[in-house]
Amino acid sequence: MHERIIGLYEENAGAWDEARGRELDDRQWFDRFTSLLPPGASVLDLGCGSGEPVARHLIESGYRVTGVDSSPSLIAMCRERFLNGEWLVGDMRGLDLGRRFDGILAWHSFFHLHFDAQRAMFPRFATHAASGAALMFTSGPQHGEAIGDWQGEPLYHASLDPDEYRGLLHTNDFGVVSFQAGEPATYGPSVWIARKVS
């Protein structure tokens, strides 16, 4: 099911864009994230979708956004809407841009990856993070898988244990700045903010 995620979003790009909405409901987290960034910072948005509302908020706040998404249709929407952003079709699991960013986001995207793919992302985060860069991502509340339903198909989510995330961040030179655990009963998302310490 985790390998179906890319096709599921591409085949339903228009429906996803409409359902996602334009309001940034999680603004308090983005305020915390951007408080760690210098003015005009470069931000790598992994799983950027159609750019609404996250990339729009960042661009309108003066940040330079590079968005990566595996769906060509969603990236096409970004390119049409935001001429001053950089929009790349790609799978975050193979990320190798050859440059570093002041901030990295994997907001409601990282948790679609399978366990080993999530583990393998932390060196990629580190490779693309400048010294002092902020990293924000969402995970599940505990180790396990959760299968939702979207467009009549299973929608895969997975999470490692919070202690394992802490260990992976530490091993890759990130210090945890903020962590809010999700609700285990509903498998609500946990929010992580970390900072590259070297």
Side-chain angles (χ1 to χ4, degrees):
M1 282 182 285
H2 56 90
E3 293 296 348
R4 176 67 182 125
I5 290 293
I6 291 175
L8 185 59
Y9 276 95
E10 171 60 15
E11 292 162 20
N12 298 281
W16 164 251
D17 179 55
E18 183 177 346
R20 182 66 178 93
R22 300 297 182 263
E23 296 298 319
L24 190 64
D25 297 330
D26 305 302
R27 189 183 182 110
Q28 72 274 17
W29 289 110
F30 287 88
D31 287 345
R32 292 187 190 185
F33 173 73
T34 57
S35 73
L36 302 175
L37 304 179
S42 59
V43 177
L44 177 62
D45 185 359
L46 299 174
C48 64
S50 61
E52 299 279 5
V54 172
R56 178 181 295 279
H57 172 72
L58 293 170
I59 290 169
E60 291 178 350
S61 298
Y63 299 106
R64 294 174 288 120
V65 176
T66 296
V68 177
D69 201 281
S70 57
S71 167
S73 297
L74 291 173
I75 287 294
M77 293 178 194
C78 292
R79 289 173 177 162
E80 181 178 344
R81 292 169 180 171
F82 310 109
L83 301 180
N84 56 344
E86 180 184 18
W87 311 105
L88 306 173
V89 177
D91 187 329
M92 70 172 77
R93 294 172 294 183
L95 192 69
D96 185 14
L97 298 182
R99 51 199 162 107
R100 297 176 182 270
F101 297 82
D102 301 311
I104 301 175
L105 284 172
W107 188 255
H108 297 336
S109 57
F110 174 77
F111 59 17
H112 288 309
L113 303 181
H114 195 254
F115 304 121
D116 286 341
Q118 289 193 25
R119 294 180 180 110
M121 279 303 302
F122 286 86
R124 295 192 184 276
F125 290 149
T127 297
H128 290 84
S131 180
L135 167 66
M136 184 165 73
F137 66 94
T138 45
S139 72
Q142 59 195 14
H143 188 279
E145 297 175 310
I147 311 302
D149 179 84
W150 186 55
Q151 300 297 103
E153 291 197 47
L155 184 64
Y156 180 86
H157 304 82
S159 182
L160 306 176
D161 184 84
D163 286 342
E164 185 170 3
Y165 285 124
R166 290 181 187 276
L168 287 164
L169 287 165
H170 177 75
T171 299
N172 290 280
D173 296 323
F174 286 96
V176 176
V177 174
S178 178
F179 169 66
Q180 178 171 295
E183 175 53 56
T186 60
Y187 212 78
S190 298
V191 180
W192 297 83
I193 301 177
R195 195 162 198 176
K196 191 76 161 57
V197 296
S198 63

